[in-house]
C-alpha cells in the first residue's frame, strides 16, 4: 500500500513538473520574430519573385532541445494579397535562427493593386505579416510575431496643376493663350484608369479656331498603356475664354507588362502623357502637340528597401504585435522607406 502511494505521489509530481515546464515554455518563454526583411528576386513576363528573410529569437529551452518551425507569411498591398510563402519543419538552433522563404507574385495582380492605389487617393498600405509555429517536444508553440506596415502616397498628376500662362502657336503666330491647367483621376476600375485633364484658354484672335479632335497617348517606360480620342470637335470662339477638357485613360490590362520593365529597371519608371490637337487654321488642317497638357514624370518603387524619401513621396513604417498595438521590444520602425514615390524631377513639356 505504501509502495502504491509512493508511485502515485511520484506520478503526480512528474505531471506537475511536465505541466510547469510546458507552461513556462508556452506562457513565459515563447520564440519571437526579431526581424522580417524582403527583397526582390527574379522577374519573368508572368511572375515576380519575393525573397523573405525571417529572424527568430529562440528561448533558452529551444536552444538545447530539438525544435522545428513551420513558417508562413503574406504580403498585401491595400488588402490585395499579392504574395504568400511557406517553409515547413525548419530546424531552430542557437540563440537566433534565420530562415529565407521564396515565393512569387503573379503579375496579373498588379492591375488590382494599381486600381486600389489610385482609388485610395494614390495611397498604398503595404503589410508584411509572418506566422510562425514552433514544434518542441510535441508542443505547438506560436511565436510572438512582428507585423510590418508601411503607408506611402504619390501625386503623379501634380505637373498639370499649374496656373502658369503659356502661348499656343501655329506658324509662329499665337493662336490662343493657356491660363491654367489641371488634372485629376476619374472613377478607376480594375480595367481602366481615367485621367480628366483640363485647360483654361483664351482665344485672342478675331476669328474662331476649330479643333477637329484631341488625341492622347499614355506611356510607362515607353510602353503604350493608353491611347485614343480625348475630346471631339470643338470651336474656340474669338475673344473668349473657356475651359477645354480632355479625357485620357490607362488600360490596366497592360500594367502587368509595364511591371516587368519597372522591376528590370530597378523599380524606376517614366510616366509620359501626350496630348495633340487637330486644328483647322488659315484653311489648313494640322495635328499639333498640346505641350501645355503633355508632361512626363519619373517615379520609383522601393517596396522592401530603406532610404530617404524624396520629392513629394511620403512613407511610414511600423512594427505591430498583431493585436492593434505597437510591438514592444521588437525591431524599431525604419523611417523613410519608399513604396511608390516621385523623385521630384518632373516636367511639363513646353514650359
Amino acid at each position: 500500500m505504501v509502495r502504491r502511494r509512493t508511485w502515485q505521489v511520484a506520478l503526480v509530481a512528474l505531471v506537475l513538473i511536465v505541466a510547469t515546464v510546458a507552461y513556462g515554455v508556452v506562457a513565459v518563454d515563447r520564440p519571437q520574430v526579431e526581424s522580417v526583411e524582403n527583397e526582390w528576386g527574379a522577374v519573368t513576363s508572368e511572375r515576380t519573385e519575393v525573397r523573405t528573410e525571417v529572424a527568430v529569437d529562440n528561448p533558452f529551452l529551444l536552444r538545447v532541445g530539438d525544435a522545428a518551425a513551420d513558417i508562413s507569411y503574406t504580403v498585401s498591398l491595400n488588402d490585395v494579397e499579392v504574395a504568400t510563402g511557406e517553409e515547413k519543419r525548419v530546424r531552430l538552433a542557437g540563440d537566433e535562427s534565420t530562415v529565407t522563404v521564396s515565393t512569387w507574385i503573379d503579375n496579373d495582380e498588379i492591375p488590382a493593386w494599381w486600381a486600389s492605389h489610385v482609388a485610395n487617393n494614390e495611397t498604398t498600405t503595404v503589410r508584411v505579416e509572418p506566422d510562425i509555429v514552433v514544434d518542441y517536444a510535441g508542443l505547438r508553440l506560436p511565436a510572438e510575431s512582428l507585423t510590418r506596415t508601411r503607408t506611402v502616397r504619390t501625386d503623379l498628376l501634380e505637373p498639370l496643376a499649374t496656373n502658369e500662362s503659356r502661348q499656343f502657336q501655329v506658324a509662329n503666330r499665337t493662336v490662343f493663350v493657356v491660363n491654367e491647367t489641371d488634372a485629376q483621376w476619374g472613377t478607376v476600375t480594375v480595367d481602366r484608369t481615367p485621367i480628366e485633364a483640363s485647360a483654361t484658354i483664351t482665344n485672342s484672335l478675331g476669328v474662331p479656331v476649330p479643333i477637329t479632335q484631341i488625341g492622347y497617348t499614355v506611356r510607362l517606360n515607353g510602353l503604350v498603356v493608353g491611347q485614343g480620342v480625348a475630346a471631339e470637335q470643338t470651336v474656340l470662339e474669338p475673344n473668349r475664354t473657356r475651359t477645354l477638357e480632355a479625357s485620357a485613360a490607362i488600360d490596366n490590362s497592360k500594367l502587368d507588362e509595364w511591371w516587368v520593365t519597372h522591376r528590370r529597371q530597378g523599380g524606376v519608371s517614366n510616366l509620359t502623357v501626350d496630348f495633340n490637337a487637330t486644328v483647322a487654321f488659315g484653311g489648313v488642317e494640322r495635328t499639333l502637340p498640346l505641350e501645355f497638357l503633355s508632361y512626363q514624370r519619373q517615379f520609383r518603387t522601393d517596396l522592401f528597401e530603406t532610404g530617404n524619401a524624396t520629392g513629394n513621396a511620403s512613407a511610414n513604417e511600423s512594427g505591430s504585435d498583431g493585436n492593434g498595438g505597437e510591438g514592444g521590444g521588437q525591431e524599431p520602425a525604419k523611417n523613410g522607406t519608399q513604396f511608390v514615390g516621385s523623385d521630384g524631377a518632373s516636367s511639363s513639356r513646353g514650359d
Side-chain angles (χ1 to χ4, degrees):
M1 188 70 176
V2 173
R3 181 177 298 178
R4 183 178 179 182
R5 286 185 178 179
T6 301
W7 276 105
Q8 288 177 338
V9 171
L11 180 61
V12 170
L14 179 61
V15 170
L16 289 175
I17 291 173
V18 171
T20 301
V21 171
Y23 176 80
V25 172
V26 174
V28 179
D29 208 14
R30 288 193 300 166
Q32 179 175 319
V33 177
E34 285 293 301
S35 66
V36 180
E37 300 294 337
N38 296 86
E39 65 178 4
W40 296 108
V43 60
T44 72
S45 60
E46 297 179 349
R47 58 182 191 165
T48 306
E49 184 183 19
V50 177
R51 297 173 185 153
T52 301
E53 185 178 272
V54 181
V56 182
D57 179 54
N58 303 321
F60 179 76
L61 285 175
L62 301 188
R63 300 176 197 175
V64 298
D66 184 16
D70 293 339
I71 299 177
S72 62
Y73 75 97
T74 60
V75 178
S76 302
L77 312 179
N78 282 345
D79 297 327
V80 178
E81 188 175 292
V82 295
T84 60
E86 186 176 39
E87 189 77 19
K88 289 185 175 295
R89 302 300 300 171
V90 178
R91 185 174 180 275
L92 302 180
D95 58 352
E96 185 174 287
S97 299
T98 301
V99 181
T100 300
V101 185
S102 181
T103 189
W104 295 83
I105 293 177
D106 187 338
N107 294 345
D108 288 340
E109 298 286 351
I110 298 304
W113 157 69
W114 174 274
S116 72
H117 180 73
V118 174
N120 281 309
N121 196 28
E122 291 192 56
T123 300
T124 289
T125 298
V126 184
R127 185 179 181 89
V128 181
E129 187 170 12
D131 183 30
I132 300 178
V133 178
V134 175
D135 189 340
Y136 175 76
L139 298 174
R140 299 281 290 175
L141 311 176
E144 293 183 2
S145 189
L146 172 64
T147 297
R148 300 179 69 178
T149 61
R150 304 168 185 167
T151 300
V152 292
R153 299 172 179 85
T154 62
D155 192 1
L156 298 179
L157 300 183
E158 185 270 340
L160 282 182
T162 176
N163 57 6
E164 180 182 353
S165 180
R166 285 160 287 177
Q167 295 182 348
F168 181 78
Q169 295 185 333
V170 178
N172 295 322
R173 183 176 181 183
T174 299
V175 177
F176 53 80
V177 176
V178 182
N179 303 309
E180 62 179 344
T181 59
D182 199 4
Q184 60 185 4
W185 299 108
T187 301
V188 63
T189 67
V190 176
D191 301 318
R192 188 171 181 271
T193 306
I195 302 173
E196 308 293 343
S198 63
T200 302
I201 60 180
T202 301
N203 177 7
S204 56
L205 298 178
V207 296
V209 177
I211 298 179
T212 305
Q213 178 180 280
I214 296 178
Y216 74 89
T217 303
V218 182
R219 295 180 177 87
L220 281 167
N221 287 342
L223 176 69
V224 175
V225 295
Q227 193 171 47
V229 176
E232 301 292 345
Q233 182 172 343
T234 187
V235 177
L236 305 180
E237 299 295 338
N239 302 311
R240 297 284 297 274
T241 298
R242 60 164 295 184
T243 299
L244 185 66
E245 296 181 346
S247 300
I250 294 174
D251 181 356
N252 292 356
S253 68
K254 297 182 179 297
L255 293 179
D256 57 341
E257 300 177 56
W258 155 71
W259 177 257
V260 175
T261 69
H262 183 69
R263 290 296 347 137
R264 288 176 176 171
Q265 293 184 182
V268 177
S269 285
N270 285 292
L271 169 66
T272 305
V273 182
D274 289 311
F275 288 95
N276 63 75
T278 302
V279 179
F281 183 73
V284 179
E285 191 173 81
R286 307 180 185 184
T287 299
L288 302 169
L290 294 180
E291 295 179 336
F292 55 87
L293 283 179
S294 302
Y295 76 99
Q296 60 183 358
R297 191 156 179 81
Q298 186 181 80
F299 64 98
R300 65 172 58 247
T301 66
D302 291 333
L303 176 56
F304 304 132
E305 300 172 12
T306 59
N308 293 324
T310 60
N312 56 28
S314 63
N316 301 304
E317 180 178 344
S318 63
S320 69
D321 60 5
N323 297 316
E326 293 300 318
Q330 298 173 341
E331 180 177 328
K334 296 179 180 178
N335 296 323
T337 300
Q338 284 186 321
F339 177 32
V340 182
S342 165
D343 65 352
S346 60
S347 64
S348 180
R349 295 200 302 272
D351 290 358

